[in-house]
């Protein structure tokens, strides 16, 4: 179950994207954050003023998830991809179809240029981006053209060489005029190659030079010039910032990263479609303690892709996959085209795999705490109970309860807990057959006898819950209930300890009755909480079964067949008498004295049972 307060505490103070889900698991909002911890928590601060639309969105949030990125830029790009993929109903600002811009290097031209582009195409040119600032791209194009003397005209070269006069940029020394043949194609391409290296991140010398110029202008009180240099530095940093969320090859691939901790592991999968990351999912694995990484990945890939409807062209993993050849043949056959495994070792691909691994470790770390808390509530609680009872080896607990209404339609329940967790597949219901009237002890004796006689039958399947004997029996009550259970076990020659769950006058658990002694229990400990859960679950299961019987009419009370007896009078009869036999033996005068009854109704009851006796005699 999603605990909002606990999950808010676990949010990392890192950039990323968060996805808000409603109770039907629909993604209703996608947002990005410089700090996930600060941003997501703001939604749930009561003092924060929000618009009515956002308030409606907050009221619908059932749970949230997040993806950590290495920068705000990556978060922005991923946010855009996810919004386009899922179209969340509360993301109105980014649903206008606009895309983040790219910087296009026309490497297919003889004299290539740097251009601003709204979308990436498969046209043989090189793209950088997408980026979040159109202004930063345009400023950088202008700066790079100046630094490396690149042209920015639309002339088709070399076809148009010498046809027109050189432009103003040649006159002011910013363009070498390839349109006039004043620079060879080889020389121009060398300038362009340096510009590409700059755009790929080799900016240290340039930023240092711009910084020195900015400081010098500031010292000379030329603050306007210093501001220009500052803006140039920021544009360079924005455009050359590395981001891994979108690639320029438009391929479909899954990025599979593994994080391990003890006997458990988390596999994080990033889904890249058309070169864009459109989603992710994480999977839990157990029993990995003695396994090699390649073996763990092999088991995961076989299980995951056996049930997925789509298989991508590429699957990236950090480690080589065990039995890779056979698995690839199988995947290729399922896909209908060749499938490849890759283990990226450097560059953007390696950084994307590392990002997936960081998210896997975040899930593993976050859930490790949750698992520790879960262990304290289950195995830890059982250990507390064992210590309290001075026993060991308690794994399976069975608990029993009886439910009826004034002795009518009596049913029993058996619930099972193993290592502190409910095992609902082993729960059992009992219709009490041999007892009439409010005889809880008699009903309990029948239920326990039937349960443990069943366990002594030959040839029981391991799937039969009665085939497994409990390590201890918990009875909902004190000395009386314990004695009933012990007497049944003694007759069947079974040696199972029995412990009573004793309640106080306010129907709250106060202690345990064990070996003729009432043992007090710390009401703040996990052991006490587990006993309370067992007691409540046993009671709930019995009550629900009893309600089901009444609601579906699976047991039709004979009183319902008596003329003049409706629901109100039937309840009055059941309250006045403890069994059908007593009602049957009552006189008309006695029945008429019951609240809600009258002479006519009483006569109807007597006549009904007299007729019933005649029918039985005839049979």
């Amino acid at each position: 179950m999603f605990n909002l307060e606990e999950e808010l505490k676990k949010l990392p103070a890192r950039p990323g994207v968060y996805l808000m889900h409603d109770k039907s698991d629909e993604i209703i909002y996608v947002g990005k954050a410089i700090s996930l911890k600060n941003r997501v928590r703001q939604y749930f601060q009561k003092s924060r003023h929000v618009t009515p639309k956002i308030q409606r969105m907050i009221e619908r949030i059932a749970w949230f998830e997040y993806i950590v990125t290495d920068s705000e830029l990556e978060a922005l790009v991923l946010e855009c991809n996810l919004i386009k993929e899922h179209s969340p109903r509360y993301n109105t600002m980014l649903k206008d179809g606009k895309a983040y811009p790219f910087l296009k290097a026309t490497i297919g031209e003889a004299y290539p240029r740097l251009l601003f582009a709204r979308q990436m195409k498969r046209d043989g040119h090189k793209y950088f981006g997408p980026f979040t600032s159109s202004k930063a791209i345009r400023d950088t194009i202008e700066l790079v053209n100046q630094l490396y003397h690149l042209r920015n005209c639309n002339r088709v070269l070399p076809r148009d060489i010498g046809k027109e006069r050189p432009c103003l940029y040649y006159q002011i020394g910013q363009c070498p005029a390839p349109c006039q043949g004043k620079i060879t194609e080889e020389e121009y391409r060398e300038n362009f190659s340096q510009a590409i290296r700059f755009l790929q991140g080799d900016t240290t010398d340039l930023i240092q030079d711009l910084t020195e110029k900015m400081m010098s202008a500031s010292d000379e009180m030329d603050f306007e010039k210093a501001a220009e240099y500052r803006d140039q530095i920021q544009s360079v940093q924005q455009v050359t910032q590395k981001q891994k969320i979108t690639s320029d090859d438009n391929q479909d691939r899954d990025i599979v990263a593994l994080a391990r901790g003890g006997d458990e592991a988390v596999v994080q999968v990033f889904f890249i479609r058309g070169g864009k990351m459109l989603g992710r999912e994480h999977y839990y694995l157990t029993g990995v303690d003695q396994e090699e990484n390649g073996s763990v990945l092999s088991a995961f890939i076989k299980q995951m892709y056996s049930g997925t409807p789509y298989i991508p062209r590429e699957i990236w993993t950090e480690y080589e996959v065990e039995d890779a050849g056979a698995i690839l043949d199988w995947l290729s056959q399922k896909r209908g085209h060749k499938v490849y495994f890759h283990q990226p070792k450097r560059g953007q691909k390696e950084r994307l795999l590392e990002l997936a691994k960081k998210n896997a470790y975040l899930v593993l770390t976050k859930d490790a705490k949750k698992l520790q808390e879960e262990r304290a509530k289950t195995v830890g609680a059982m250990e507390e109970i064992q210590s309290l009872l001075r026993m060991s080896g308690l794994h399976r607990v069975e608990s029993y309860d009886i439910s009826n209404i004034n002795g009518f339609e009596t049913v029993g329940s058996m619930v099972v807990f193993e290592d502190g967790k409910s095992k609902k597949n082993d729960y059992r219901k009992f219709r009490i057959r041999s007892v009439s009237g409010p005889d809880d002890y008699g009903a309990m004796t029948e239920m326990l006898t039937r349960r443990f006689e069943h366990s002594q039958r030959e040839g029981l399947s391991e799937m039969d819950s009665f085939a497994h004997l409990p390590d201890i029996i918990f009875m909902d009550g004190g000395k009386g209930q314990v004695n009933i259970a012990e007497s049944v076990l003694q007759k069947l020659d079974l040696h199972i300890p029995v412990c009573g769950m004793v309640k106080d006058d306010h129907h709250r658990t106060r202690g345990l009755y064990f070996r003729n002694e009432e043992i007090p229990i710390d009401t703040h400990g996990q052991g006490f909480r587990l006993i309370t859960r067992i007691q409540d679950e046993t009671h709930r299961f019995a009550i629900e079964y009893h309600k089901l019987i009444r609601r579906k009419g699976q047991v039709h009370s004979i009183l319902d067949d008596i003329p003049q007896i409706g629901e109100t009078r039937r309840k009055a009869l059941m309250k006045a008498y403890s069994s059908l036999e007593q009602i049957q033996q009552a006189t008309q005068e006695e029945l008429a004295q019951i609240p809600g009854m009258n002479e006519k109704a009483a006569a109807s009851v007597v006549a009904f049972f007299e007729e019933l006796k005649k029918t039985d005699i005839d049979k």
Side-chain angles (χ1 to χ4, degrees), residues 378-398 417-420 468-474 495-497 514-515:
T378 55
V379 177
M382 281 301 298
E383 290 172 350
E384 283 187 25
I385 294 172
Q386 288 182 135
S387 177
L388 192 67
L389 301 178
R390 296 187 290 278
M391 298 183 67
S392 61
L394 299 185
H395 300 288
R396 183 182 174 98
V397 174
E398 289 183 4
F417 278 65
E418 287 191 356
D419 292 323
H468 305 279
L469 292 176
D471 298 308
I472 192 169
I473 296 172
F474 278 6
H495 305 282
I496 303 171
F514 187 62
R515 292 174 180 167

Side-chain angles (χ1 to χ4, degrees), residues 74 76-85 97-102 118-121 129-130 243-255 270-280 316 348 352:
E74 289 180 355
L76 278 166
V77 175
L78 179 56
E79 177 195 32
C80 181
N81 293 345
L82 293 175
I83 288 173
K84 288 183 178 179
E85 175 68 13
K98 291 183 180 179
Y100 289 122
F102 294 84
R118 274 292 174 192
Q119 56 183 324
M120 183 168 59
K121 299 179 180 179
Q243 68 88 17
K244 307 172 282 295
I245 302 303
T246 301
S247 59
D248 59 1
D249 57 9
N250 296 312
Q251 291 293 336
D252 292 352
R253 60 176 59 93
D254 288 349
I255 314 297
F270 282 176
F271 302 107
I272 310 296
R273 300 294 180 261
K276 296 180 180 180
M277 179 174 163
L278 297 181
R280 65 91 189 254
W316 292 0
Q348 179 183 354
L352 183 53

Side-chain angles (χ1 to χ4, degrees), residues 228-363:
E228 290 180 11
Y229 288 128
R230 179 204 61 200
D231 293 342
Q232 288 180 347
I233 292 171
Q234 290 176 351
S235 296
V236 170
Q237 290 173 335
Q238 280 187 290
V239 172
T240 58
Q241 181 181 5
K242 297 292 183 183
Q243 68 88 17
K244 307 172 282 295
I245 302 303
T246 301
S247 59
D248 59 1
D249 57 9
N250 296 312
Q251 291 293 336
D252 292 352
R253 60 176 59 93
D254 288 349
I255 314 297
V256 179
L258 175 66
R260 303 180 58 164
D263 195 40
E264 299 183 340
V266 169
V267 175
Q268 181 84 59
V269 182
F270 282 176
F271 302 107
I272 310 296
R273 300 294 180 261
K276 296 180 180 180
M277 179 174 163
L278 297 181
R280 65 91 189 254
E281 188 58 80
H282 59 262
Y283 305 84
Y284 298 93
L285 303 176
T286 59
V288 303
D289 193 26
Q290 304 298 320
E291 299 290 332
E292 298 291 335
N293 291 326
S295 175
V296 174
L297 287 174
S298 176
F300 167 75
I301 288 171
K302 285 184 285 188
Q303 292 178 59
M304 175 184 169
Y305 291 105
S306 64
T308 186
Y310 179 74
I311 297 173
R313 181 177 182 272
E314 298 177 1
I315 300 174
W316 292 0
T317 62
E318 183 180 6
Y319 310 102
E320 290 191 10
V321 178
E322 188 177 281
D323 296 328
I327 292 175
L328 285 175
D329 289 343
W330 169 63
L331 292 175
S332 299
Q333 186 177 16
K334 284 176 66 70
R335 184 175 185 266
H337 295 281
K338 188 70 174 174
V339 178
Y340 302 89
F341 283 145
H342 291 295
Q343 288 83 43
K345 301 298 183 184
R346 62 179 66 87
Q348 179 183 354
K349 296 179 179 179
E350 190 273 336
R351 290 193 295 273
L352 183 53
L353 185 62
E354 185 62 29
L355 181 63
K357 190 165 185 175
K358 286 180 181 177
N359 278 270
Y361 269 109
L362 271 174
V363 173

Side-chain angles (χ1 to χ4, degrees), residues 86-291:
H86 300 289
S87 300
R89 65 178 61 193
Y90 289 99
N91 284 92
T92 57
M93 298 305 293
L94 291 177
K95 292 173 100 174
D96 56 4
K98 291 183 180 179
Y100 289 122
F102 294 84
L103 193 157
K104 177 179 178 180
T106 60
I107 57 176
E109 295 180 334
Y111 295 87
R113 299 165 293 162
L114 298 178
L115 304 175
F116 179 92
R118 274 292 174 192
Q119 56 183 324
M120 183 168 59
K121 299 179 180 179
R122 306 190 73 171
D123 53 11
H125 299 305
K126 188 175 183 65
Y127 288 82
F128 296 89
F131 301 106
T132 58
S133 171
S134 300
K135 182 178 184 301
I137 292 180
R138 290 190 170 94
D139 289 346
T140 300
I141 289 174
E142 183 179 349
L143 175 63
V144 174
N145 285 344
Q146 292 176 14
L147 290 172
Y148 299 101
H149 304 290
L150 304 181
R151 71 186 183 103
N152 64 358
C153 63
N154 294 324
R155 297 176 184 179
V156 179
L157 302 179
R159 186 195 67 185
D160 295 340
I161 290 179
K163 290 185 177 181
E164 297 182 31
R165 294 182 302 174
C167 64
L168 179 63
Y169 287 100
Y170 169 73
Q171 304 295 337
I172 62 177
Q174 289 187 10
C175 177
C179 59
Q180 298 297 313
K182 294 184 179 296
I183 183 174
T184 66
E185 183 176 337
E186 290 74 18
E187 291 173 332
Y188 184 90
R189 280 195 165 272
E190 177 57 31
N191 291 347
F192 191 77
S193 296
Q194 293 180 26
I196 293 297
R197 286 196 294 272
F198 161 77
L199 292 172
Q200 290 174 335
D202 188 7
T203 62
T204 305
D205 293 340
L206 176 60
I207 290 179
Q208 182 177 344
D209 181 56
L210 290 173
T211 302
E212 290 175 356
K213 290 180 178 179
M214 178 182 69
M215 298 306 296
S216 177
S218 178
D219 291 341
E220 295 174 3
M221 308 295 284
D222 190 351
F223 299 117
E224 185 175 345
K225 193 67 176 177
E228 290 180 11
Y229 288 128
R230 179 204 61 200
D231 293 342
Q232 288 180 347
I233 292 171
Q234 290 176 351
S235 296
V236 170
Q237 290 173 335
Q238 280 187 290
V239 172
T240 58
Q241 181 181 5
K242 297 292 183 183
Q243 68 88 17
K244 307 172 282 295
I245 302 303
T246 301
S247 59
D248 59 1
D249 57 9
N250 296 312
Q251 291 293 336
D252 292 352
R253 60 176 59 93
D254 288 349
I255 314 297
V256 179
L258 175 66
R260 303 180 58 164
D263 195 40
E264 299 183 340
V266 169
V267 175
Q268 181 84 59
V269 182
F270 282 176
F271 302 107
I272 310 296
R273 300 294 180 261
K276 296 180 180 180
M277 179 174 163
L278 297 181
R280 65 91 189 254
E281 188 58 80
H282 59 262
Y283 305 84
Y284 298 93
L285 303 176
T286 59
V288 303
D289 193 26
Q290 304 298 320
E291 299 290 332

